[in-house]
């Protein structure tokens, strides 16, 4: 399933992210804010377990998330999405996966993975602002499935239709939550009209 946000605040903030005049400080704030809004949408079907809470007056039925949540930011650009989720789920674990896309072949190259031997979380949320060819997201989810992750969701900010199709083909069981779906990929594998390179624009390395 593919879920594209319809939220007016998301649309407004994506426009500011696209703007070439937006500087890295503002860009980072916007990535965090859009992620915060996406976190609300992407977690809407998480299971809760019932418990009892003591109010100042009496006891009440309360709820807590049933599963431990793992945030899996794809380095580098996914790092900026961690805080938006952490504000809503401060006890989520964060497991970094390092991949970069080879500029010529556009294939993902893995360079960092410190996952422990077996899964420590019940739900993994893969965070990467850009779903372009879909290679990096597919490779990350391959790694998580080999690790033994049972339930995985992908959360991104912009996607090309080609990336959505590739990720869906490789991992049809993984829901895709995207702020906005763009028109196409260009010949260099960039999302068009896009927002440029989300890693470079966050880290000031453009
Ligand atoms: C970008 C982006 C994704 C990937 C998307 O990362 O953040 O990880 O490319 O492309 P794909 O869907 O075609 O695989 P990049 O390789 O530029 O690394 P960075 O995050 O370190 O800038």
């Amino acid at each position: 399933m593919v879920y594209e946000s319809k939220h007016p605040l998301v649309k407004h903030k994506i426009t500011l992210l696209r703007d070439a005049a937006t500087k890295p400080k503002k860009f980072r704030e916007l990535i965090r804010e859009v992620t915060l809004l996406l976190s609300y949408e992407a977690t809407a079907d998480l299971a809760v377990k019932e418990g009892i809470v003591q109010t100042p007056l009496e006891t009440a039925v309360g709820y807590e998330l049933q599963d431990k949540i793992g945030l899996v930011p794809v380095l580098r650009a996914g790092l900026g999405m961690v805080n938006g989720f952490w504000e809503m789920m401060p006890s989520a674990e964060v497991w970094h996966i390092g991949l970069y896309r080879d500029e010529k072949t556009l294939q993902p190259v893995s360079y960092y993975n410190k996952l422990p031997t077996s899964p420590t979380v019940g739900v993994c949320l893969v965070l990467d602002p850009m779903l372009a060819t879909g290679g990096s997201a597919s490779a990350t989810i391959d790694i998580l499935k080999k690790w033994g992750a049972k339930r995985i969701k992908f959360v991104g900010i912009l996607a090309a239709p080609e990336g959505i199709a590739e990720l869906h083909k490789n991992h049809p069981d993984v829901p895709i939550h995207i702020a906005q779906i763009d028109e196409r990929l260009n010949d260099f594998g960039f999302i068009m009209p896009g927002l440029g390179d989300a890693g470079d624009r966050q880290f000031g390395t453009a």
Side-chain angles (χ1 to χ4, degrees):
M1 283 295 282
V2 181
Y3 303 91
E4 183 183 27
S5 181
K6 300 283 175 259
H7 201 295
L9 284 176
V10 170
K11 291 181 180 178
H12 182 102
K13 289 174 190 298
I14 292 289
T15 308
L16 297 173
L17 276 174
R18 290 189 193 280
D19 189 338
T22 299
K23 299 273 193 306
K25 179 173 188 289
K26 183 70 184 164
F27 193 89
R28 290 192 294 270
E29 287 169 6
L30 288 163
I31 291 276
R32 186 187 64 82
E33 290 167 0
V34 171
T35 305
L36 220 156
L37 293 163
L38 285 178
S39 76
Y40 181 78
E41 298 183 355
T43 57
D45 64 350
L46 292 185
V48 287
K49 61 182 176 199
E50 232 176 76
I52 296 294
V53 60
Q54 181 69 48
T55 80
L57 300 174
E58 61 177 353
T59 58
V61 175
Y63 302 91
E64 62 178 331
L65 288 181
Q66 186 173 287
D67 294 304
K68 272 185 140 185
I69 309 295
L71 305 177
V72 185
V74 181
L75 305 179
R76 293 174 302 166
L79 276 180
M81 297 179 71
V82 171
N83 279 341
F85 267 95
W86 250 350
E87 282 179 40
M88 291 296 112
M89 301 191 296
S91 54
E93 297 179 7
V94 178
W95 296 102
H96 303 86
I97 296 289
L99 290 176
Y100 70 87
R101 200 171 68 152
D102 183 280
E103 280 178 12
K104 289 205 183 75
T105 65
L106 298 184
Q107 292 304 306
V109 181
S110 167
Y111 64 88
Y112 186 84
N113 174 358
K114 289 275 191 185
L115 291 169
T117 46
S118 53
T120 55
V121 293
V123 180
C124 289
L125 302 173
V126 175
L127 311 180
D128 192 333
M130 309 302 274
L131 182 61
T133 66
S136 302
S138 296
T140 302
I141 293 166
D142 284 341
I143 291 169
L144 292 176
K145 284 186 174 173
K146 277 195 197 114
W147 185 43
K150 293 279 176 287
R151 189 165 177 210
I152 303 170
K153 289 169 175 251
F154 177 86
V155 186
I157 292 182
L158 283 190
E162 295 90 330
I164 289 175
E166 178 70 10
L167 180 52
H168 186 64
K169 183 186 83 187
N170 295 328
H171 298 290
D173 55 312
V174 173
I176 302 171
H177 291 267
I178 282 287
Q180 266 181 27
I181 300 172
D182 265 10
E183 288 167 19
R184 65 186 191 285
L185 282 185
N186 71 9
D187 293 342
F188 305 100
F190 271 82
I191 300 172
M192 300 297 283
L195 50 71
D197 186 314
D200 281 340
R201 291 194 67 188
Q202 286 180 79
F203 295 107
T205 52

